Amino acid sequence: MNQKIRIAIDGPSGSGKSTLAKKIAREMGLVYVDTGALYRAVGLYVKRAGVDPSAGLQVTALLPQIQLQLRYTDGGQRVILNGEDVSELIRTPEVTVYASTVSANPSVRKFLLEIQKKMAGEGNVIMDGRDIGTVIMPDADVKLFLEASPAKRAHRRYLEMVEKGEKVTEEEVLAAVIQRDKADSSREIAPAVPADDAIFVDNSGLDAEQTLVKAMEIIGEKLRRTR
Ligand code: DC
């Protein structure tokens, strides 16, 4: 196939988007772009600057100081913030809250739009996020919207956190998941809602491999019909 492929995966936090996107990327030879990492890097910068992430104008004033790059290695995507590799630092629970808060700021979204559109334009890409099918790649070849129940998503996140040695209860993780879903889907700008032509995949009862099989069936079918 010499036409370039573009796949969008959206869905709430903990639905398994990045796990699925990485597997599809490997299977199909696509570049995987984790767009949440860009919002996380901005969140980290704002946190380090000691600025309240909900203080719109102050956050906007910081943006010209931020340079972001995504680098690809065998181990996946690395996020470079002003020359520093922050790929691990952006995964803390605190930065997660900063990322979610700054993502509701229109100037942050505008700032990150260009870098994402550029990557989308290069093609042979699979991008995951919240607004990929609606804003970043409205003309993607395939748009998946991945879902799982809040309890299931919280359980997965809880296991990941415990594995990293973090001291949390499953109830706390569930409360944070519900809170972030609400913030991400109710914000005025680019809310995390499915595109009209997105195909839903509920993976509450599926493991990562089964989710991959289901997604590959959908992608294969869609590409056969439209190409
Ligand atoms: O996918 P994630 O958990 O790493 O994303 C971090 C935050 O960034 C999340 O709270 C919502 C926001 N985000 C967004 O608004 N749009 C995207 N395309 C990706 C992430």
Side-chain angles (χ1 to χ4, degrees):
M1 211 180 307
N2 47 22
Q3 230 178 319
K4 292 199 168 173
I5 294 180
R6 299 189 303 156
I7 299 178
I9 302 193
D10 290 300
S13 56
S15 57
K17 296 184 299 289
S18 64
T19 305
L20 176 63
K22 270 184 218 153
K23 285 176 184 286
I24 296 174
R26 206 171 307 134
E27 196 101 343
M28 299 183 66
L30 306 175
V31 171
Y32 163 50
V33 182
D34 163 13
T35 65
L38 299 169
Y39 290 90
R40 287 173 177 272
V42 172
L44 176 65
Y45 191 87
V46 170
K47 178 174 175 291
R48 283 176 167 176
V51 165
D52 174 351
S54 58
L57 291 178
Q58 287 182 49
V59 169
T60 302
L62 293 177
L63 297 176
Q65 303 166 19
I66 300 179
Q67 274 214 345
L68 288 175
Q69 277 174 290
L70 296 179
R71 271 193 208 138
Y72 292 91
T73 64
D74 284 349
Q77 172 186 287
R78 308 298 299 177
V79 187
I80 315 295
L81 168 62
N82 292 341
E84 176 191 357
D85 186 334
V86 295
S87 311
E88 275 81 35
L89 292 172
I90 58 174
R91 299 288 158 195
T92 67
E94 221 183 340
V95 173
T96 302
V97 175
Y98 271 74
S100 177
T101 311
V102 299
S103 74
N105 181 325
S107 47
V108 170
R109 301 204 75 84
K110 190 158 168 260
F111 175 70
L112 295 179
L113 185 70
E114 205 177 309
I115 177 168
Q116 294 176 86
K117 283 269 189 194
K118 189 160 169 270
M119 309 210 72
E122 282 165 15
N124 283 339
V125 75
I126 178 163
M127 298 179 81
D128 81 357
R130 305 293 190 290
D131 61 345
I132 308 303
T134 50
V135 178
I136 307 297
M137 301 200 294
D139 52 352
D141 298 287
V142 187
K143 298 178 188 177
L144 298 176
F145 196 87
L146 202 56
E147 289 182 306
S149 66
K152 190 80 196 183
R153 291 187 281 120
H155 184 65
R156 290 175 187 154
R157 192 48 52 98
Y158 169 72
L159 294 180
E160 271 170 28
M161 292 172 91
V162 168
E163 197 170 316
K164 283 193 207 149
E166 289 170 34
K167 290 205 167 30
V168 281
T169 66
E170 198 159 334
E171 288 71 32
E172 284 165 350
V173 181
L174 177 60
V177 162
I178 291 172
Q179 171 70 35
R180 192 145 73 100
D181 279 359
K182 196 162 160 240
D184 290 346
S185 60
S186 63
R187 64 178 179 227
E188 276 175 26
I189 178 163
V193 293
D196 289 342
D197 52 349
I199 302 166
F200 286 79
V201 177
D202 187 322
N203 69 4
S204 300
L206 306 179
D207 67 19
E209 258 336 284
Q210 292 166 325
T211 308
L212 173 67
V213 170
K214 188 160 184 182
M216 289 303 294
E217 269 170 28
I218 294 171
I219 293 168
E221 165 82 4
K222 186 84 206 290
L223 293 179
R224 264 193 304 279
R225 263 196 290 125
T226 53
R227 285 175 176 236

